Amino acid sequence: MTEALEPPSYDGFGYQALINSSQAATSDLPVYSRRPSPPPPTANQVEREPREFVYEAKTRLGGGVPWATLTVQGDPRLTRVIPTITEGSNLVGSVKLALRSPEAIQAICILIKGEVVQGGPANVAIPTFFVETKHTIWSATEGDPQAPEGSGKSKLKGDYVWPFSLPIPSTVTKDGQTWRTPHSFVDTIASFSIRYTAELRIVRGKLRPDDKVSCTFAYFSMQQPGPPSPLRQLAYQENSPLFGPEVDPEGWLSQSVTVRGIVFASRQIEATITLSLAKPLCYTRSASIPCVLSIECKDSQALDLLSSPSAPMLYLERSFLQERDAWRNSVESCGRAVFWPSTEGASPSTSSPPTRRDLMGEIHLKANLQPSSSVCGFSVEYAVVLFPFQATAFKPLVVGDLAPLLRQIVEITTRYAPGPRQRTYTPATYDTRNNLIDHYYYALVIQNAQAGARVRAGGRGGR
């Protein structure tokens, strides 16, 4: 039985701008155009039948009659503006020719390309290819498929259809390195994009240029996290609160840091902050990242201030990285944790004031987040970052220092983990705005821009 895609369809590739820019180009005869595919007739067929996208090569004579047609099918659950092919599935479609006079054609091929495009979707961008496969679906050595056997007829005339089903590699190897084939994306903040194309190439021979019909398609990664701890699965199954690190130590990864500050502008305090993230450190977009914060402090007033659910500044950070040009790297926040008080770890009821408080929390993940990926020195990476607390009457000892207290690399995927479906415990919220945090990331952007200016100035000086 085929496993259903998890989670369901998202329009998170960002390819509308890419489609618009690619359709603006013109070329010599023949003229290529894309005909929008008609919508399926019924809702049931939407779920069962692939969506077809048709791309044509037309002549300018005879009212622009299409003579070569490339049809590509997209997964009906995921396809939006361009065909979407899921990891493990083939690129499926057909090639049609309508030839009204004999044509000398050497071969008919389908080329599949995956590329990193630096500078976004513009036509002037520089590509780095990581997938380049060529599939010949007909060659002249086979003869005219409509001619009688043994006739020796090599030129083609009439109507022809060649269906195809071509694999897309799930891993790519280049320069001795192997990566998982990356998810498609275009993002305005990134200095590169991941793009896939299928190209119909009609090979004419050495003295005549080949005819080409291209289409852009999206590749949907099917990576998923490993199973959570048994106790966490039990909580999801029974729709009950999660067990924290003390009850479920195997289900969490914890790290601690010491925080020093001044409360009420009168006395210095010291607190130990422990951040725990649910294992494995791999999470599904549209779900959440479960987290726990433990605050230990001997000063009861400071403990009250730091354990307020609004005080912790815990964020999900996304980075678009280029190894060769580090100054092109882009970093931004894309989610903030929501916290609520937890009774786990609370001090026993005694006459002495408590010295520890726990906060349970989660970072809601947007449905259109690009999943983690890496290929050819380009990568999309995520980290959970704990910044200095922001609480009334509390000031960090180093005023104005926004350097993160803790940072933990995590992965984002497109599918849920096996087992019971993960649940979230608070209404989804994606409001991440905070003036100090915004200033921190803005400063990083300025630093990268200044580094890039120095690199470019050095390059000009050396000429």
Side-chain angles (χ1 to χ4, degrees):
M1 183 172 64
T2 303
E3 184 182 3
L5 291 179
E6 300 292 354
S9 60
Y10 304 123
D11 186 15
F13 296 103
Y15 264 98
Q16 186 61 60
L18 181 64
I19 294 297
N20 294 339
S21 65
S22 65
Q23 289 178 342
T26 58
S27 59
D28 297 333
L29 287 174
V31 177
Y32 301 132
S33 67
R34 174 179 177 268
R35 184 180 69 195
S37 59
T42 66
N44 289 336
Q45 288 176 325
V46 170
E47 298 178 358
R48 299 174 185 173
E49 297 181 2
R51 287 190 58 188
E52 289 192 344
F53 289 73
V54 180
Y55 308 83
E56 299 172 338
K58 296 181 180 180
T59 62
R60 288 180 177 168
L61 301 177
V65 177
W67 66 273
T69 301
L70 171 65
T71 300
V72 175
Q73 297 180 0
D75 188 291
R77 296 161 291 184
L78 299 168
T79 294
R80 290 295 179 266
V81 296
I82 58 176
T84 297
I85 314 300
T86 59
E87 179 181 349
S89 301
N90 285 358
L91 180 73
V92 178
S94 63
V95 173
K96 298 179 182 179
L97 298 184
L99 306 175
R100 298 298 170 249
S101 59
E103 296 272 2
I105 298 174
Q106 297 296 316
I108 299 173
C109 306
I110 298 292
L111 283 70
I112 300 176
K113 299 179 181 180
E115 57 187 320
V116 180
V117 182
Q118 300 183 56
N123 293 331
V124 297
I126 304 173
T128 299
F129 291 99
F130 55 85
V131 171
E132 291 184 278
T133 60
K134 181 179 179 180
H135 305 269
T136 301
I137 60 176
W138 178 85
S139 68
T141 57
E142 302 175 27
D144 185 345
Q146 297 183 358
E149 187 175 354
S151 65
K153 184 180 176 182
S154 59
K155 291 188 175 182
L156 302 182
K157 179 183 179 181
D159 297 329
Y160 300 86
V161 178
W162 288 276
F164 60 81
S165 179
L166 309 174
I168 300 174
S170 58
T171 60
V172 295
T173 300
K174 190 170 184 178
D175 299 329
Q177 289 186 280
T178 300
W179 302 275
R180 189 185 185 99
T181 303
H183 195 87
S184 300
F185 85 90
V186 172
D187 195 288
T188 55
I189 192 176
S191 60
F192 64 92
S193 58
I194 302 293
R195 181 170 64 186
Y196 293 87
T197 57
E199 179 182 276
L200 165 63
R201 184 169 296 182
I202 300 173
V203 182
R204 297 289 189 174
K206 295 183 178 180
L207 300 180
R208 297 182 60 188
D210 298 341
D211 295 306
K212 302 174 184 178
V213 180
S214 297
C215 85
T216 300
F217 67 91
Y219 180 82
F220 192 95
S221 169
M222 297 292 284
Q223 190 173 4
Q224 65 181 151
S229 69
L231 285 179
R232 190 170 149 213
Q233 292 188 54
L234 180 63
Y236 292 148
Q237 185 174 340
E238 297 185 348
N239 199 28
S240 61
L242 295 182
F243 296 102
E246 288 198 348
V247 178
D248 183 21
E250 296 182 358
W252 301 85
L253 177 70
S254 301
Q255 52 182 321
S256 300
V257 64
T258 299
V259 172
R260 295 177 178 86
I262 299 175
V263 295
F264 298 107
S266 61
R267 62 185 184 275
Q268 183 174 326
I269 62 97
E270 181 176 289
T272 299
I273 310 296
T274 300
L275 169 64
S276 300
L277 299 177
K279 295 195 304 185
L281 301 177
C282 186
Y283 310 96
T284 306
R285 62 185 191 177
S286 83
S288 64
I289 301 178
C291 48
V292 177
L293 271 179
S294 296
I295 303 102
E296 295 182 73
C297 184
K298 296 179 180 179
D299 188 304
S300 60
Q301 287 184 315
L303 185 62
D304 289 338
L305 296 176
L306 296 177
S307 61
S308 170
S310 62
M313 296 289 108
L314 186 67
Y315 279 79
L316 178 67
E317 177 185 276
R318 175 173 56 185
S319 303
F320 300 101
L321 306 177
Q322 295 185 232
E323 292 181 3
R324 287 172 292 184
D325 299 310
W327 55 272
R328 292 182 181 270
N329 295 344
S330 302
V331 185
E332 64 174 351
S333 64
C334 53
R336 179 184 172 183
V338 177
F339 286 101
W340 61 94
S342 171
T343 58
E344 184 174 322
S347 301
S349 179
T350 64
S351 58
S352 60
T355 59
R356 170 180 162 181
R357 297 249 177 84
D358 283 3
L359 295 174
M360 186 70 72
E362 58 190 5
I363 302 175
H364 297 284
L365 303 177
K366 295 180 181 180
N368 61 354
L369 285 179
Q370 296 87 358
S372 302
S373 62
S374 180
V375 66
C376 297
F378 300 85
S379 60
V380 181
E381 296 183 0
Y382 291 88
V384 174
V385 182
L386 179 64
F387 290 94
F389 283 47
Q390 296 182 25
T392 303
F394 170 80
K395 296 295 182 183
L397 200 57
V398 182
V399 179
D401 186 5
L402 291 175
L405 303 174
L406 293 171
R407 182 189 300 272
Q408 177 60 57
I409 300 295
V410 298
E411 288 188 76
I412 303 298
T413 68
T414 59
R415 300 177 65 202
Y416 288 111
R421 176 68 59 86
Q422 180 183 355
R423 63 167 296 207
T424 55
Y425 296 85
T426 57
T429 175
Y430 306 112
D431 183 12
T432 65
R433 301 308 300 253
N434 178 279
N435 289 337
L436 291 178
I437 304 304
D438 288 348
H439 176 77
Y440 169 81
Y441 285 107
Y442 177 76
L444 288 183
V445 172
I446 296 300
Q447 290 174 13
N448 279 346
Q450 292 173 344
R454 289 193 295 269
V455 170
R456 291 190 293 271
R460 289 192 295 269
R463 290 191 182 96

